[in-house]
Amino acid sequence: MTTTTPAANTALLPLPTTAARAATTTGAALALIGTFLAWTYTDTFPGDLTVTGYPGGLQVLTLISAALTLLFALSGYGIKGLRWLTPGGTNSPTRLLALGTLVTTAYTVIAVILTKDDNGNLLGAIELEPGAWISLVGALVAAVAALGLPSDLPQDDTTDSSAPKRFLASLRAPAPARAKALPSWAEILIIAGAFGVALYVFTYGIDTEYAELFIGYVLAVAFGFTALTRAGLIARITALTAKHRNVTLCAALVAAFCFPFTQQNEEYALIGANILIFATVALGLNVVVGLAGLLDLGYVAFLGVGAYAAALVSGSPLSPVGVQFPFWAAVLTGAAASLVFGVVIGAPTLRLRGDYLAIVTLGFGEIFRLTVNALNGVSGPDLTNGSQGIPSIPDLKLLGFDFGISHDIGGITLGRSANYYLLMLLFTAVVVLVFRRSGESRIGRAWVAIREDETAATAMGINAFRLKLLAFALGATLAGLAGTVQAHVSYTVTPEQYQFAGSVPPNSAFLLAAVILGGMGTLSGPLVGAALLYLIPAKLQFMQDYQLFLFGIALILLMRFRPEGLVADRRKQLEFHETGQLDVPPDTPLTDTAAGTTKAGA
């Protein structure tokens, strides 16, 4: 069997494919050029798109999308320096990027037209300058031309040319092509660069000052990430991170540490701190749901137990306890209280399975909220001030460092929110370490066995009840640990903060969704899911009335097209995308025992 190089394949492309690639390249170039021209006549639309030669606001998103489309379109010509961009194929990522450029540009144009001036009148199409039309036409040409490019199908899907099969195949990331092995230092630099880019993208999303820019950011990132996944770059970087796991964790920690130094707005730093709190609690729930397979619908109650315990002993003037523990003692108090509640609730209920366990845990979450609401001195003992909660919780002080005041570090001022962000980052690192060590231990493997088949695990000698109780207690402790910091960040704790479902996370429904969205049983999955589920509502506050509706639609689409989650392990990928054939390495010889010959494996 003969093979051809990418350059040779390009030379043999049929004329329609060559014309489609040329039109895609031309359209992407036009869309890119248009971003350097003025898009609006006045500065009524946010972002000031009236400047020529300096893209701003939503123009930047179109510029980046068009530049990526142009780069991937050029890689299809077999240019040697660009082959590394598309180890999984060139056409599908080019098509996705071209479509993303069109969607982002069209959204901007529509948003400008529907914007109202000071008199309440729509700006209309007359507000658009030639630059907007050039970028829109160029993006449209690129998207339409990209549809003429042939599909990049995985090898096992080439035998089925039906439209549904091709569509579903385009949503799955192919295995990355074999590449020349790089030295270790080069692989480490690639990992560091990847986390640097991720930090910049995340920071850009938090720094968006208005809703129109954030919506455009979400659209551009969604199409761009899908295209990079389809190209095989994400799979290749994932392979590198799996090879250098310690380096990856250090790079992630350094990138997260650098985040508050990029923020000048306390509001954005506070969003980052709350994301870490939400992500840490989601990672604790991942121990219960993702590893042990226990469906806990009242997990947010453990966060509340830790928060209330810390609030009672942290010196609040309205605390009935009237004591003030040092920081480390308050943290241990919150974690210990959650641990006790985890054992007390888990011991009599963990002999249940499935829906029955879910109903009991849901009841526990509601009992906790109603109980702290009743401990107001009227319906019950005066312990939690009822619906008023425990306000005026003082800021933490650790080794003479006051988290409530600003500090200058290296010429950069870190405010109160940034201080608590760094503290929460330390807690997150501890939770990540606990999750990783427990997941890789014998106990973690036993949890996975119980999750897959509890009956079979019990038959193999695993004490299922004891290990499930251990997972329940560990998850509760991690939630209580995060709750101690949450109480001080928000200054107050109230029963309404710990509901099963609500418009503001964290609550039990959003925590469970973060684990499922990110990827159950993975380390980074709940962190990604929690960041998305907290950041989007925080930035799109005008959509709060429709938030749960849109959230439900997003989950339905996710379960349909990527049920394993955004970050899935190999086991989940094989479970949800089973081909019915055994995976055979491409270089493995297959022996035909009947004929006594050896064939090359496919």
Side-chain angles (χ1 to χ4, degrees):
M1 182 178 64
T2 60
T3 59
T4 58
T5 64
N9 287 333
T10 303
L12 297 176
L13 287 177
L15 183 59
T17 301
T18 303
R21 191 175 302 282
T24 303
T25 304
T26 303
L30 281 176
L32 179 63
I33 294 172
T35 59
F36 290 91
L37 303 176
W39 279 23
T40 58
Y41 182 72
T42 65
D43 60 356
T44 304
F45 186 78
D48 193 8
L49 309 183
T50 63
V51 181
T52 298
Y54 189 83
L58 285 163
Q59 286 176 308
V60 175
L61 299 176
T62 297
L63 185 150
I64 295 175
S65 298
L68 288 175
T69 304
L70 181 61
L71 198 61
F72 275 79
L74 291 175
S75 68
Y77 287 101
I79 301 175
K80 184 176 181 180
L82 299 178
R83 293 178 189 171
W84 60 272
L85 277 175
T86 54
T90 63
N91 298 330
S92 295
T94 303
R95 188 181 302 111
L96 288 169
L97 288 171
L99 183 59
T101 304
L102 176 61
V103 171
T104 305
T105 307
Y107 165 75
T108 305
V109 170
I110 294 174
V112 170
I113 293 175
L114 297 181
T115 299
K116 295 182 178 180
D117 58 17
D118 297 335
N119 298 324
N121 300 320
L122 295 178
L123 295 180
I126 196 174
E127 175 71 8
L128 297 173
E129 286 286 298
W133 295 113
I134 292 175
S135 291
L136 181 60
V137 171
L140 180 61
V141 170
V144 173
L147 295 177
L149 297 175
S151 299
D152 295 323
L153 292 177
Q155 185 176 0
D156 59 340
D157 287 333
T158 56
T159 57
D160 191 341
S161 58
S162 62
K165 189 72 172 181
R166 292 199 306 270
F167 177 71
L168 293 177
S170 65
L171 298 176
R172 300 197 293 267
R178 292 175 176 268
K180 181 179 179 181
L182 297 174
S184 296
W185 62 266
E187 294 177 344
I188 293 175
L189 287 179
I190 292 175
I191 294 174
F195 276 98
V197 172
L199 173 63
Y200 176 80
V201 173
F202 179 73
T203 302
Y204 187 91
I206 284 189
D207 289 344
T208 50
E209 299 178 352
Y210 47 94
E212 293 87 351
L213 180 58
F214 182 76
I215 293 175
Y217 161 82
V218 171
L219 293 174
V221 170
F223 279 98
F225 181 79
T226 306
L228 294 180
T229 302
R230 185 58 193 163
L233 283 179
I234 302 299
R236 181 164 288 179
I237 293 176
T238 302
L240 293 180
T241 57
K243 181 179 179 181
H244 304 279
R245 300 187 63 180
N246 293 330
V247 173
T248 300
L249 290 177
C250 291
L253 185 62
V254 170
F257 178 80
C258 293
F259 168 75
F261 295 93
T262 66
Q263 302 300 307
Q264 301 298 325
N265 192 323
E266 273 287 289
E267 178 183 356
Y268 300 154
L270 180 60
I271 292 177
N274 285 324
I275 286 176
L276 281 183
I277 293 174
F278 190 17
T280 301
V281 181
L283 197 59
L285 178 60
N286 197 29
V287 175
V288 181
V289 177
L291 293 181
L294 306 175
L295 184 56
D296 189 349
L297 298 182
Y299 186 76
V300 74
F302 298 120
L303 176 68
V305 170
Y308 266 97
L312 288 172
V313 300
S314 293
S316 171
L318 296 181
S319 171
V321 177
V323 298
Q324 184 172 3
F325 288 179
F327 167 67
W328 62 269
V331 171
L332 292 179
T333 301
S338 296
L339 172 62
V340 171
F341 270 83
V343 174
V344 170
I345 299 300
T349 61
L350 286 180
R351 298 187 186 278
L352 302 174
R353 298 187 187 181
D355 299 338
Y356 300 101
L357 177 61
I359 293 173
V360 170
T361 55
L362 176 61
F364 164 66
E366 289 301 302
I367 289 173
F368 167 78
R369 184 178 61 84
L370 295 175
T371 300
V372 295
N373 199 27
L375 298 179
N376 54 7
V378 178
S379 302
D382 186 12
L383 184 62
T384 63
N385 294 326
S387 60
Q388 300 299 321
I390 303 177
S392 304
I393 301 174
D395 286 306
L396 293 173
K397 293 182 180 180
L398 180 63
L399 301 177
F401 186 89
D402 191 342
F403 286 83
I405 62 177
S406 301
H407 300 273
D408 292 331
I409 300 179
I412 299 177
T413 301
L414 297 180
R416 176 181 182 273
S417 299
N419 295 334
Y420 278 108
Y421 172 89
L422 293 177
L423 175 64
M424 198 60 223
L425 180 62
L426 177 62
F427 278 65
T428 304
V430 172
V431 174
V432 167
L433 180 62
V434 171
F435 180 85
R436 181 186 175 189
R437 293 299 184 185
S438 60
E440 295 176 349
S441 65
R442 294 177 59 187
I443 295 177
R445 292 194 293 270
W447 283 338
V448 173
I450 295 173
R451 181 192 69 191
E452 297 299 326
D453 192 330
E454 182 175 345
T455 303
T458 304
M460 296 300 294
I462 295 177
N463 191 330
F465 174 76
R466 185 181 66 181
L467 288 175
K468 288 194 297 183
L469 183 60
L470 179 60
F472 213 71
L474 178 59
T477 304
L478 297 180
L481 198 66
T484 60
V485 180
Q486 187 208 28
H488 293 84
V489 171
S490 59
Y491 283 124
T492 182
V493 290
T494 59
E496 288 73 19
Q497 293 176 333
Y498 309 105
Q499 302 179 14
F500 169 73
S503 58
V504 179
N507 52 64
S508 292
F510 271 77
L511 288 170
L512 184 61
V515 175
I516 297 174
L517 173 67
M520 292 191 299
T522 62
L523 177 60
S524 57
L527 303 179
V528 174
L532 290 176
L533 291 183
Y534 191 92
L535 181 61
I536 293 177
K539 286 296 184 178
L540 301 180
Q541 297 182 2
F542 71 96
M543 299 178 64
Q544 283 189 355
D545 294 338
Y546 308 97
Q547 178 176 312
L548 293 178
F549 171 73
L550 298 175
F551 174 62
I553 293 178
L555 281 181
I556 292 174
L557 294 176
L558 179 72
M559 292 299 99
R560 174 62 184 86
F561 296 112
R562 195 173 177 84
E564 70 271 23
L566 297 178
V567 182
D569 56 12
R570 181 63 176 168
R571 176 178 298 167
K572 291 295 182 182
Q573 290 177 339
L574 293 176
E575 178 181 350
F576 288 107
H577 299 293
E578 188 173 354
T579 61
Q581 298 178 355
L582 295 176
D583 291 335
V584 181
D587 294 335
T588 302
L590 299 179
T591 303
D592 189 346
T593 55
T597 58
T598 301
K599 306 176 182 178

